[in-house]
Amino acid sequence: TDTFTGENIQQHSLAFEKANVVFNLAVAFAMQGAKLITDTSSDVDLEAIRSAFACFRVAADRFHFISKNFMHPPSMDLQQETVSALDKVMLAQAQECTLIRAQLEKKKDVTVSKLAQQAALMYSGVFDNVKSIADSHHLPRGWLLLIETKMRYYQAMAQYYEARADNSKDRYGIAIARFSLAEQHAREATKLVGQFAETFFSTTNLTEDLYPESVQGLQDLIASLTASIGEELSRANHDNDIIYNDPVPNTST
């Protein structure tokens, strides 16, 4: 059965059977990775993050294998464009794990910023990729909302941590500009995650195995980051007005 269309597909081919087995293995690893992250949402565990990273990388490898070794599938879910997109989704989620690990290990702000920026870039690429095939390959529309939400969230995070690094180096005006950019991205992420929460679970397929708490968890993460950005932007503006009087660059430049 095609994962996305629900259509029953038959082909008397060992290669088709092999591709289906590999696809199901990839999905199993992806779901385990997602569950590990969800299970640690309230009490994040470093070992679980390492395991989730490994799961997502294995899933990506399996999808990549299908894309390079099974050229003419009869089902939509095994099409090269579909599995290539899924490969990129898995790699983006693995990058998220690397970022979470850096935060848990209390890496420097500039390091966390770079990892967040990489996650944002990866989700930006995934968004373009999935958008181009969402209709033709029957992908759930909710995916686009989730991917764009994560892209905006990590853009906000990247600017936030870079602003903190600038502040520590007495670049007060630049820090304010970055906090302001972070706030813009965070507002957009808040709007998108609200739309995602309202619409995603009305999708007719691929919802029964998802974890509802993961949606609330994402909303909580965005809300927490938004609050932190607002507090630090307010403090930075106050200190700059009273003490430093450092010029603030235009955020559009």
Side-chain angles (χ1 to χ4, degrees), residues 1-11 16 19-20 23 63 66-67 70-86 130 132-140 143 205-206:
T1 302
D2 189 295
T3 304
F4 301 108
T5 66
E7 181 183 357
N8 289 323
I9 305 292
Q10 290 186 348
Q11 185 181 82
F16 181 50
N20 277 283
F23 185 93
F63 286 128
I66 296 171
S67 72
F70 195 60
M71 297 293 102
H72 305 289
S75 60
M76 197 64 71
D77 55 359
L78 294 177
Q79 292 282 336
Q80 189 172 26
E81 297 87 352
T82 305
V83 289
S84 292
L86 294 174
V130 171
S132 68
I133 65 170
D135 290 331
S136 61
H137 289 61
H138 304 281
L139 302 184
W143 283 18
N205 58 343
L206 298 187

mmCIF file of all heavy atoms in Angstrom, residues 1-11 16 19-20 23 63 66-67 70-86 130 132-140 143 205-206:
data_model
loop_
_atom_site.group_PDB
_atom_site.id
_atom_site.type_symbol
_atom_site.label_atom_id
_atom_site.label_comp_id
_atom_site.label_asym_id
_atom_site.label_seq_id
_atom_site.Cartn_x
_atom_site.Cartn_y
_atom_site.Cartn_z
ATOM 1 N N THR A 1 0.832 -1.195 0.000
ATOM 2 C CA THR A 1 0.000 0.000 0.000
ATOM 3 C C THR A 1 0.868 1.247 0.000
ATOM 4 O O THR A 1 1.785 1.370 0.813
ATOM 5 C CB THR A 1 -0.912 0.018 1.235
ATOM 6 O OG1 THR A 1 -1.720 -1.160 1.255
ATOM 7 C CG2 THR A 1 -1.825 1.244 1.213
ATOM 8 N N ASP A 2 0.558 2.179 -0.921
ATOM 9 C CA ASP A 2 1.305 3.431 -0.987
ATOM 10 C C ASP A 2 1.064 4.236 0.290
ATOM 11 O O ASP A 2 -0.066 4.434 0.716
ATOM 12 C CB ASP A 2 0.852 4.234 -2.215
ATOM 13 C CG ASP A 2 1.733 5.446 -2.472
ATOM 14 O OD1 ASP A 2 1.742 6.353 -1.607
ATOM 15 O OD2 ASP A 2 2.387 5.497 -3.521
ATOM 16 N N THR A 3 2.152 4.695 0.908
ATOM 17 C CA THR A 3 2.066 5.399 2.185
ATOM 18 C C THR A 3 1.222 6.666 2.094
ATOM 19 O O THR A 3 0.504 7.009 3.035
ATOM 20 C CB THR A 3 3.480 5.769 2.672
ATOM 21 O OG1 THR A 3 4.271 4.585 2.746
ATOM 22 C CG2 THR A 3 3.436 6.439 4.038
ATOM 23 N N PHE A 4 1.291 7.361 0.965
ATOM 24 C CA PHE A 4 0.662 8.667 0.855
ATOM 25 C C PHE A 4 -0.694 8.641 0.165
ATOM 26 O O PHE A 4 -1.584 9.419 0.510
ATOM 27 C CB PHE A 4 1.595 9.631 0.125
ATOM 28 C CG PHE A 4 2.918 9.792 0.816
ATOM 29 C CD1 PHE A 4 4.069 9.239 0.286
ATOM 30 C CD2 PHE A 4 3.006 10.476 2.010
ATOM 31 C CE1 PHE A 4 5.280 9.377 0.927
ATOM 32 C CE2 PHE A 4 4.216 10.619 2.666
ATOM 33 C CZ PHE A 4 5.362 10.066 2.127
ATOM 34 N N THR A 5 -0.873 7.763 -0.800
ATOM 35 C CA THR A 5 -2.148 7.724 -1.526
ATOM 36 C C THR A 5 -3.094 6.663 -0.989
ATOM 37 O O THR A 5 -4.295 6.727 -1.229
ATOM 38 C CB THR A 5 -1.910 7.439 -3.019
ATOM 39 O OG1 THR A 5 -1.389 6.115 -3.178
ATOM 40 C CG2 THR A 5 -0.927 8.452 -3.614
ATOM 41 N N GLY A 6 -2.553 5.660 -0.264
ATOM 42 C CA GLY A 6 -3.373 4.554 0.224
ATOM 43 C C GLY A 6 -3.723 3.541 -0.850
ATOM 44 O O GLY A 6 -4.453 2.581 -0.603
ATOM 45 N N GLU A 7 -3.165 3.734 -2.037
ATOM 46 C CA GLU A 7 -3.466 2.837 -3.166
ATOM 47 C C GLU A 7 -2.695 1.528 -3.024
ATOM 48 O O GLU A 7 -1.511 1.515 -2.668
ATOM 49 C CB GLU A 7 -3.079 3.524 -4.469
ATOM 50 C CG GLU A 7 -3.369 2.719 -5.716
ATOM 51 C CD GLU A 7 -2.903 3.421 -6.981
ATOM 52 O OE1 GLU A 7 -2.400 4.560 -6.878
ATOM 53 O OE2 GLU A 7 -3.033 2.821 -8.072
ATOM 54 N N ASN A 8 -3.358 0.411 -3.302
ATOM 55 C CA ASN A 8 -2.689 -0.890 -3.284
ATOM 56 C C ASN A 8 -1.892 -1.066 -4.575
ATOM 57 O O ASN A 8 -2.432 -0.941 -5.681
ATOM 58 C CB ASN A 8 -3.711 -2.017 -3.157
ATOM 59 C CG ASN A 8 -4.341 -2.076 -1.777
ATOM 60 O OD1 ASN A 8 -3.666 -1.836 -0.780
ATOM 61 N ND2 ASN A 8 -5.628 -2.373 -1.706
ATOM 62 N N ILE A 9 -0.619 -1.339 -4.419
ATOM 63 C CA ILE A 9 0.286 -1.476 -5.567
ATOM 64 C C ILE A 9 0.861 -2.890 -5.569
ATOM 65 O O ILE A 9 1.329 -3.384 -4.534
ATOM 66 C CB ILE A 9 1.451 -0.470 -5.503
ATOM 67 C CG1 ILE A 9 0.912 0.971 -5.371
ATOM 68 C CG2 ILE A 9 2.341 -0.596 -6.721
ATOM 69 C CD1 ILE A 9 0.184 1.482 -6.570
ATOM 70 N N GLN A 10 0.845 -3.522 -6.722
ATOM 71 C CA GLN A 10 1.439 -4.848 -6.853
ATOM 72 C C GLN A 10 2.428 -4.857 -8.019
ATOM 73 O O GLN A 10 2.164 -4.290 -9.080
ATOM 74 C CB GLN A 10 0.358 -5.906 -7.102
ATOM 75 C CG GLN A 10 -0.530 -6.173 -5.896
ATOM 76 C CD GLN A 10 -1.485 -7.321 -6.129
ATOM 77 O OE1 GLN A 10 -1.653 -7.787 -7.250
ATOM 78 N NE2 GLN A 10 -2.102 -7.804 -5.064
ATOM 79 N N GLN A 11 3.551 -5.496 -7.781
ATOM 80 C CA GLN A 11 4.538 -5.679 -8.847
ATOM 81 C C GLN A 11 5.352 -6.927 -8.506
ATOM 82 O O GLN A 11 5.871 -7.053 -7.396
ATOM 83 C CB GLN A 11 5.459 -4.455 -8.972
ATOM 84 C CG GLN A 11 6.424 -4.564 -10.154
ATOM 85 C CD GLN A 11 7.351 -3.363 -10.247
ATOM 86 O OE1 GLN A 11 8.363 -3.290 -9.555
ATOM 87 N NE2 GLN A 11 6.998 -2.410 -11.105
ATOM 88 N N PHE A 16 11.378 -4.335 -6.106
ATOM 89 C CA PHE A 16 10.275 -3.609 -5.493
ATOM 90 C C PHE A 16 10.074 -4.059 -4.046
ATOM 91 O O PHE A 16 9.864 -3.247 -3.148
ATOM 92 C CB PHE A 16 8.999 -3.830 -6.307
ATOM 93 C CG PHE A 16 7.788 -3.108 -5.798
ATOM 94 C CD1 PHE A 16 7.835 -1.753 -5.516
ATOM 95 C CD2 PHE A 16 6.590 -3.782 -5.596
ATOM 96 C CE1 PHE A 16 6.719 -1.077 -5.048
ATOM 97 C CE2 PHE A 16 5.465 -3.120 -5.129
ATOM 98 C CZ PHE A 16 5.532 -1.761 -4.855
ATOM 99 N N ALA A 19 12.904 -2.613 -1.967
ATOM 100 C CA ALA A 19 12.707 -1.187 -1.727
ATOM 101 C C ALA A 19 11.675 -0.949 -0.638
ATOM 102 O O ALA A 19 11.834 -0.057 0.211
ATOM 103 C CB ALA A 19 12.295 -0.485 -3.020
ATOM 104 N N ASN A 20 10.606 -1.743 -0.631
ATOM 105 C CA ASN A 20 9.573 -1.602 0.391
ATOM 106 C C ASN A 20 10.101 -1.947 1.774
ATOM 107 O O ASN A 20 9.772 -1.274 2.758
ATOM 108 C CB ASN A 20 8.373 -2.489 0.046
ATOM 109 C CG ASN A 20 7.424 -1.835 -0.933
ATOM 110 O OD1 ASN A 20 6.642 -0.967 -0.572
ATOM 111 N ND2 ASN A 20 7.499 -2.233 -2.191
ATOM 112 N N PHE A 23 12.328 0.898 2.845
ATOM 113 C CA PHE A 23 11.488 2.054 3.169
ATOM 114 C C PHE A 23 10.883 1.894 4.566
ATOM 115 O O PHE A 23 10.904 2.828 5.380
ATOM 116 C CB PHE A 23 10.376 2.202 2.125
ATOM 117 C CG PHE A 23 9.519 3.429 2.305
ATOM 118 C CD1 PHE A 23 9.814 4.600 1.644
ATOM 119 C CD2 PHE A 23 8.403 3.405 3.140
ATOM 120 C CE1 PHE A 23 9.024 5.736 1.794
ATOM 121 C CE2 PHE A 23 7.606 4.525 3.309
ATOM 122 C CZ PHE A 23 7.916 5.703 2.632
ATOM 123 N N PHE A 63 16.673 6.050 3.106
ATOM 124 C CA PHE A 63 15.955 6.775 2.052
ATOM 125 C C PHE A 63 16.893 7.123 0.892
ATOM 126 O O PHE A 63 16.513 7.050 -0.278
ATOM 127 C CB PHE A 63 15.327 8.047 2.623
ATOM 128 C CG PHE A 63 14.115 7.813 3.473
ATOM 129 C CD1 PHE A 63 14.031 8.352 4.757
ATOM 130 C CD2 PHE A 63 13.047 7.059 3.007
ATOM 131 C CE1 PHE A 63 12.910 8.143 5.547
ATOM 132 C CE2 PHE A 63 11.920 6.833 3.794
ATOM 133 C CZ PHE A 63 11.856 7.377 5.062
ATOM 134 N N ILE A 66 17.410 4.109 -1.350
ATOM 135 C CA ILE A 66 16.301 3.885 -2.284
ATOM 136 C C ILE A 66 16.380 4.851 -3.456
ATOM 137 O O ILE A 66 16.188 4.472 -4.615
ATOM 138 C CB ILE A 66 14.948 4.039 -1.556
ATOM 139 C CG1 ILE A 66 14.795 2.968 -0.470
ATOM 140 C CG2 ILE A 66 13.788 3.927 -2.549
ATOM 141 C CD1 ILE A 66 13.590 3.194 0.439
ATOM 142 N N SER A 67 16.690 6.120 -3.163
ATOM 143 C CA SER A 67 16.710 7.135 -4.214
ATOM 144 C C SER A 67 17.779 6.856 -5.264
ATOM 145 O O SER A 67 17.633 7.246 -6.421
ATOM 146 C CB SER A 67 16.938 8.526 -3.606
ATOM 147 O OG SER A 67 18.270 8.679 -3.153
ATOM 148 N N PHE A 70 16.718 2.518 -6.830
ATOM 149 C CA PHE A 70 15.423 2.033 -7.299
ATOM 150 C C PHE A 70 14.811 3.129 -8.164
ATOM 151 O O PHE A 70 14.156 4.040 -7.672
ATOM 152 C CB PHE A 70 14.521 1.686 -6.108
ATOM 153 C CG PHE A 70 13.326 0.858 -6.483
ATOM 154 C CD1 PHE A 70 13.479 -0.403 -7.066
ATOM 155 C CD2 PHE A 70 12.053 1.332 -6.268
ATOM 156 C CE1 PHE A 70 12.378 -1.170 -7.406
ATOM 157 C CE2 PHE A 70 10.939 0.570 -6.606
ATOM 158 C CZ PHE A 70 11.110 -0.690 -7.185
ATOM 159 N N MET A 71 15.023 3.041 -9.455
ATOM 160 C CA MET A 71 14.785 4.152 -10.360
ATOM 161 C C MET A 71 13.341 4.286 -10.860
ATOM 162 O O MET A 71 12.871 5.369 -11.152
ATOM 163 C CB MET A 71 15.726 4.056 -11.575
ATOM 164 C CG MET A 71 17.204 4.163 -11.241
ATOM 165 S SD MET A 71 17.665 5.808 -10.627
ATOM 166 C CE MET A 71 17.784 5.503 -8.876
ATOM 167 N N HIS A 72 12.623 3.189 -11.006
ATOM 168 C CA HIS A 72 11.303 3.247 -11.643
ATOM 169 C C HIS A 72 10.241 2.558 -10.786
ATOM 170 O O HIS A 72 9.677 1.532 -11.176
ATOM 171 C CB HIS A 72 11.366 2.614 -13.035
ATOM 172 C CG HIS A 72 12.414 3.218 -13.915
ATOM 173 N ND1 HIS A 72 12.301 4.493 -14.433
ATOM 174 C CD2 HIS A 72 13.610 2.726 -14.352
ATOM 175 C CE1 HIS A 72 13.373 4.763 -15.160
ATOM 176 N NE2 HIS A 72 14.183 3.718 -15.129
ATOM 177 N N PRO A 73 9.936 3.118 -9.617
ATOM 178 C CA PRO A 73 8.958 2.481 -8.724
ATOM 179 C C PRO A 73 7.529 2.694 -9.220
ATOM 180 O O PRO A 73 7.213 3.727 -9.818
ATOM 181 C CB PRO A 73 9.187 3.205 -7.406
ATOM 182 C CG PRO A 73 9.667 4.559 -7.819
ATOM 183 C CD PRO A 73 10.490 4.340 -9.048
ATOM 184 N N PRO A 74 6.659 1.745 -8.955
ATOM 185 C CA PRO A 74 5.255 1.895 -9.357
ATOM 186 C C PRO A 74 4.424 2.704 -8.368
ATOM 187 O O PRO A 74 3.311 3.112 -8.684
ATOM 188 C CB PRO A 74 4.760 0.440 -9.410
ATOM 189 C CG PRO A 74 5.592 -0.261 -8.389
ATOM 190 C CD PRO A 74 6.939 0.395 -8.427
ATOM 191 N N SER A 75 4.940 2.926 -7.156
ATOM 192 C CA SER A 75 4.191 3.659 -6.128
ATOM 193 C C SER A 75 4.794 5.040 -5.916
ATOM 194 O O SER A 75 5.993 5.257 -6.096
ATOM 195 C CB SER A 75 4.197 2.883 -4.810
ATOM 196 O OG SER A 75 5.517 2.692 -4.346
ATOM 197 N N MET A 76 3.943 5.975 -5.502
ATOM 198 C CA MET A 76 4.367 7.355 -5.329
ATOM 199 C C MET A 76 5.355 7.523 -4.183
ATOM 200 O O MET A 76 6.259 8.357 -4.230
ATOM 201 C CB MET A 76 3.141 8.239 -5.096
ATOM 202 C CG MET A 76 3.387 9.723 -5.306
ATOM 203 S SD MET A 76 3.828 10.133 -7.006
ATOM 204 C CE MET A 76 2.242 9.851 -7.827
ATOM 205 N N ASP A 77 5.204 6.721 -3.114
ATOM 206 C CA ASP A 77 6.069 6.894 -1.946
ATOM 207 C C ASP A 77 7.519 6.476 -2.197
ATOM 208 O O ASP A 77 8.413 6.865 -1.452
ATOM 209 C CB ASP A 77 5.509 6.157 -0.728
ATOM 210 C CG ASP A 77 5.255 4.673 -0.988
ATOM 211 O OD1 ASP A 77 5.496 4.205 -2.108
ATOM 212 O OD2 ASP A 77 4.790 3.988 -0.049
ATOM 213 N N LEU A 78 7.744 5.686 -3.255
ATOM 214 C CA LEU A 78 9.107 5.262 -3.570
ATOM 215 C C LEU A 78 9.726 6.063 -4.713
ATOM 216 O O LEU A 78 10.855 5.786 -5.123
ATOM 217 C CB LEU A 78 9.127 3.769 -3.927
ATOM 218 C CG LEU A 78 8.777 2.801 -2.792
ATOM 219 C CD1 LEU A 78 8.752 1.364 -3.304
ATOM 220 C CD2 LEU A 78 9.753 2.928 -1.627
ATOM 221 N N GLN A 79 8.980 7.055 -5.216
ATOM 222 C CA GLN A 79 9.529 7.903 -6.270
ATOM 223 C C GLN A 79 10.796 8.589 -5.773
ATOM 224 O O GLN A 79 10.918 8.938 -4.597
ATOM 225 C CB GLN A 79 8.508 8.960 -6.683
ATOM 226 C CG GLN A 79 7.276 8.420 -7.393
ATOM 227 C CD GLN A 79 7.548 8.072 -8.850
ATOM 228 O OE1 GLN A 79 8.462 8.615 -9.455
ATOM 229 N NE2 GLN A 79 6.754 7.173 -9.397
ATOM 230 N N GLN A 80 11.731 8.827 -6.680
ATOM 231 C CA GLN A 80 13.007 9.415 -6.295
ATOM 232 C C GLN A 80 12.827 10.767 -5.605
ATOM 233 O O GLN A 80 13.502 11.068 -4.612
ATOM 234 C CB GLN A 80 13.918 9.577 -7.517
ATOM 235 C CG GLN A 80 15.337 9.980 -7.173
ATOM 236 C CD GLN A 80 16.259 9.940 -8.375
ATOM 237 O OE1 GLN A 80 15.815 10.086 -9.502
ATOM 238 N NE2 GLN A 80 17.543 9.745 -8.143
ATOM 239 N N GLU A 81 11.893 11.588 -6.103
ATOM 240 C CA GLU A 81 11.667 12.900 -5.495
ATOM 241 C C GLU A 81 11.153 12.770 -4.061
ATOM 242 O O GLU A 81 11.530 13.555 -3.182
ATOM 243 C CB GLU A 81 10.667 13.711 -6.327
ATOM 244 C CG GLU A 81 11.120 14.042 -7.729
ATOM 245 C CD GLU A 81 10.781 12.953 -8.737
ATOM 246 O OE1 GLU A 81 10.323 11.864 -8.302
ATOM 247 O OE2 GLU A 81 10.983 13.175 -9.941
ATOM 248 N N THR A 82 10.310 11.759 -3.828
ATOM 249 C CA THR A 82 9.740 11.571 -2.492
ATOM 250 C C THR A 82 10.803 11.135 -1.494
ATOM 251 O O THR A 82 10.956 11.740 -0.426
ATOM 252 C CB THR A 82 8.620 10.522 -2.522
ATOM 253 O OG1 THR A 82 7.635 10.890 -3.481
ATOM 254 C CG2 THR A 82 7.961 10.397 -1.153
ATOM 255 N N VAL A 83 11.541 10.091 -1.826
ATOM 256 C CA VAL A 83 12.526 9.581 -0.864
ATOM 257 C C VAL A 83 13.698 10.545 -0.691
ATOM 258 O O VAL A 83 14.302 10.617 0.383
ATOM 259 C CB VAL A 83 13.017 8.162 -1.253
ATOM 260 C CG1 VAL A 83 11.918 7.142 -1.028
ATOM 261 C CG2 VAL A 83 13.516 8.105 -2.691
ATOM 262 N N SER A 84 14.009 11.321 -1.729
ATOM 263 C CA SER A 84 15.047 12.347 -1.585
ATOM 264 C C SER A 84 14.604 13.421 -0.600
ATOM 265 O O SER A 84 15.399 13.894 0.225
ATOM 266 C CB SER A 84 15.363 12.982 -2.944
ATOM 267 O OG SER A 84 15.993 12.061 -3.796
ATOM 268 N N ALA A 85 13.323 13.804 -0.689
ATOM 269 C CA ALA A 85 12.785 14.779 0.267
ATOM 270 C C ALA A 85 12.812 14.220 1.689
ATOM 271 O O ALA A 85 13.188 14.915 2.637
ATOM 272 C CB ALA A 85 11.367 15.172 -0.126
ATOM 273 N N LEU A 86 12.424 12.957 1.835
ATOM 274 C CA LEU A 86 12.439 12.325 3.156
ATOM 275 C C LEU A 86 13.855 12.211 3.701
ATOM 276 O O LEU A 86 14.087 12.371 4.909
ATOM 277 C CB LEU A 86 11.774 10.950 3.077
ATOM 278 C CG LEU A 86 10.280 10.951 2.763
ATOM 279 C CD1 LEU A 86 9.774 9.524 2.560
ATOM 280 C CD2 LEU A 86 9.494 11.639 3.874
ATOM 281 N N VAL A 130 9.997 20.033 -0.485
ATOM 282 C CA VAL A 130 8.685 19.441 -0.226
ATOM 283 C C VAL A 130 7.582 20.235 -0.924
ATOM 284 O O VAL A 130 6.638 19.662 -1.480
ATOM 285 C CB VAL A 130 8.417 19.355 1.291
ATOM 286 C CG1 VAL A 130 6.976 18.948 1.575
ATOM 287 C CG2 VAL A 130 9.382 18.353 1.939
ATOM 288 N N SER A 132 7.688 21.748 -3.688
ATOM 289 C CA SER A 132 7.675 21.496 -5.131
ATOM 290 C C SER A 132 6.984 20.187 -5.503
ATOM 291 O O SER A 132 6.576 20.005 -6.653
ATOM 292 C CB SER A 132 9.116 21.496 -5.672
ATOM 293 O OG SER A 132 9.841 20.373 -5.182
ATOM 294 N N ILE A 133 6.856 19.262 -4.533
ATOM 295 C CA ILE A 133 6.258 17.951 -4.855
ATOM 296 C C ILE A 133 5.052 17.620 -3.994
ATOM 297 O O ILE A 133 4.462 16.548 -4.152
ATOM 298 C CB ILE A 133 7.307 16.822 -4.706
ATOM 299 C CG1 ILE A 133 7.758 16.675 -3.247
ATOM 300 C CG2 ILE A 133 8.500 17.046 -5.626
ATOM 301 C CD1 ILE A 133 8.589 15.446 -2.974
ATOM 302 N N ALA A 134 4.658 18.520 -3.089
ATOM 303 C CA ALA A 134 3.598 18.202 -2.123
ATOM 304 C C ALA A 134 2.310 17.768 -2.807
ATOM 305 O O ALA A 134 1.699 16.762 -2.419
ATOM 306 C CB ALA A 134 3.338 19.403 -1.215
ATOM 307 N N ASP A 135 1.886 18.488 -3.825
ATOM 308 C CA ASP A 135 0.633 18.156 -4.504
ATOM 309 C C ASP A 135 0.788 16.953 -5.429
ATOM 310 O O ASP A 135 -0.011 16.016 -5.370
ATOM 311 C CB ASP A 135 0.124 19.364 -5.297
ATOM 312 C CG ASP A 135 -0.361 20.478 -4.393
ATOM 313 O OD1 ASP A 135 -0.818 20.183 -3.282
ATOM 314 O OD2 ASP A 135 -0.256 21.652 -4.803
ATOM 315 N N SER A 136 1.817 16.981 -6.246
ATOM 316 C CA SER A 136 1.979 15.911 -7.234
ATOM 317 C C SER A 136 2.268 14.559 -6.601
ATOM 318 O O SER A 136 1.924 13.512 -7.163
ATOM 319 C CB SER A 136 3.107 16.266 -8.213
ATOM 320 O OG SER A 136 4.348 16.418 -7.533
ATOM 321 N N HIS A 137 2.892 14.555 -5.404
ATOM 322 C CA HIS A 137 3.248 13.309 -4.738
ATOM 323 C C HIS A 137 2.369 13.024 -3.518
ATOM 324 O O HIS A 137 2.672 12.141 -2.719
ATOM 325 C CB HIS A 137 4.721 13.327 -4.334
ATOM 326 C CG HIS A 137 5.658 13.218 -5.499
ATOM 327 N ND1 HIS A 137 5.697 14.152 -6.505
ATOM 328 C CD2 HIS A 137 6.576 12.272 -5.833
ATOM 329 C CE1 HIS A 137 6.610 13.797 -7.393
ATOM 330 N NE2 HIS A 137 7.148 12.672 -7.012
ATOM 331 N N HIS A 138 1.299 13.819 -3.364
ATOM 332 C CA HIS A 138 0.278 13.580 -2.336
ATOM 333 C C HIS A 138 0.835 13.622 -0.909
ATOM 334 O O HIS A 138 0.402 12.854 -0.043
ATOM 335 C CB HIS A 138 -0.418 12.228 -2.573
ATOM 336 C CG HIS A 138 -1.024 12.105 -3.937
ATOM 337 N ND1 HIS A 138 -2.234 12.672 -4.284
ATOM 338 C CD2 HIS A 138 -0.563 11.489 -5.074
ATOM 339 C CE1 HIS A 138 -2.506 12.407 -5.546
ATOM 340 N NE2 HIS A 138 -1.518 11.702 -6.055
ATOM 341 N N LEU A 139 1.784 14.514 -0.661
ATOM 342 C CA LEU A 139 2.311 14.653 0.693
ATOM 343 C C LEU A 139 1.319 15.455 1.543
ATOM 344 O O LEU A 139 0.645 16.350 1.037
ATOM 345 C CB LEU A 139 3.666 15.367 0.667
ATOM 346 C CG LEU A 139 4.767 14.715 -0.174
ATOM 347 C CD1 LEU A 139 6.067 15.494 -0.014
ATOM 348 C CD2 LEU A 139 4.981 13.262 0.231
ATOM 349 N N PRO A 140 1.212 15.138 2.832
ATOM 350 C CA PRO A 140 0.287 15.893 3.702
ATOM 351 C C PRO A 140 0.638 17.373 3.734
ATOM 352 O O PRO A 140 1.803 17.743 3.918
ATOM 353 C CB PRO A 140 0.504 15.251 5.075
ATOM 354 C CG PRO A 140 1.047 13.891 4.785
ATOM 355 C CD PRO A 140 1.882 14.042 3.556
ATOM 356 N N TRP A 143 2.702 19.054 6.545
ATOM 357 C CA TRP A 143 4.159 18.987 6.576
ATOM 358 C C TRP A 143 4.786 20.341 6.285
ATOM 359 O O TRP A 143 5.767 20.733 6.916
ATOM 360 C CB TRP A 143 4.665 17.946 5.565
ATOM 361 C CG TRP A 143 4.508 16.538 6.014
ATOM 362 C CD1 TRP A 143 3.697 16.072 7.012
ATOM 363 C CD2 TRP A 143 5.174 15.395 5.471
ATOM 364 N NE1 TRP A 143 3.817 14.706 7.113
ATOM 365 C CE2 TRP A 143 4.708 14.261 6.188
ATOM 366 C CE3 TRP A 143 6.080 15.216 4.446
ATOM 367 C CZ2 TRP A 143 5.153 12.974 5.906
ATOM 368 C CZ3 TRP A 143 6.535 13.937 4.160
ATOM 369 C CH2 TRP A 143 6.072 12.820 4.891
ATOM 370 N N ASN A 205 -4.473 11.441 6.495
ATOM 371 C CA ASN A 205 -3.557 10.309 6.614
ATOM 372 C C ASN A 205 -2.308 10.722 7.384
ATOM 373 O O ASN A 205 -2.036 11.888 7.600
ATOM 374 C CB ASN A 205 -3.150 9.754 5.235
ATOM 375 C CG ASN A 205 -2.488 10.804 4.369
ATOM 376 O OD1 ASN A 205 -2.591 11.991 4.630
ATOM 377 N ND2 ASN A 205 -1.817 10.364 3.326
ATOM 378 N N LEU A 206 -1.586 9.733 7.836
ATOM 379 C CA LEU A 206 -0.328 9.916 8.558
ATOM 380 C C LEU A 206 -0.498 10.657 9.883
ATOM 381 O O LEU A 206 0.399 11.344 10.322
ATOM 382 C CB LEU A 206 0.692 10.665 7.684
ATOM 383 C CG LEU A 206 1.113 9.978 6.397
ATOM 384 C CD1 LEU A 206 2.243 10.761 5.751
ATOM 385 C CD2 LEU A 206 1.549 8.552 6.622
#
